[in-house]
Amino acid sequence: MNEIFAQTVGRIDVVGGVMRIELATLVPADGAAPRMEPVTALVMPMEGFLQSLTMMQEMVQKMADGGLVRLNPSVAEPPKK
């Protein structure tokens, strides 16, 4: 299995039910603010994306329960429609 380091998600696109998640890292720029540079892209079907989202939400809750992060109530809950 390959490991790739990325500092953030640069962009997410959906085309035909397929998610394309662009991973990025910050690189220094001469005399300017650092800029985001794409590292790689993760491409998966919508179903896989939704399953991974659930797994990430569970991990965030475990980190909060362990005192590693504090959840902002307005961010932790999905928007109401």
Side-chain angles (χ1 to χ4, degrees):
M1 174 172 57
N2 294 332
E3 290 187 21
I4 298 170
F5 175 79
Q7 290 174 307
T8 189
V9 172
R11 159 185 193 141
I12 300 176
D13 294 307
V14 181
V15 176
V18 176
M19 304 293 298
R20 184 176 190 281
I21 304 165
E22 187 176 274
L23 304 176
T25 190
L26 294 173
V27 294
D30 294 332
R35 59 181 167 74
M36 279 200 316
E37 184 173 291
V39 175
T40 193
L42 175 62
V43 181
M44 64 175 60
M46 187 82 65
E47 183 178 331
F49 171 78
L50 294 173
Q51 181 182 4
S52 67
L53 180 60
T54 299
M55 293 172 70
M56 285 186 241
Q57 289 170 330
E58 290 170 357
M59 181 56 67
V60 169
Q61 189 60 55
K62 286 180 184 178
M63 292 180 345
D65 293 345
L68 297 172
V69 297
R70 282 191 344 208
L71 298 180
N72 178 344
S74 65
V75 174
E77 297 176 12
K80 293 183 170 85
K81 293 185 179 184

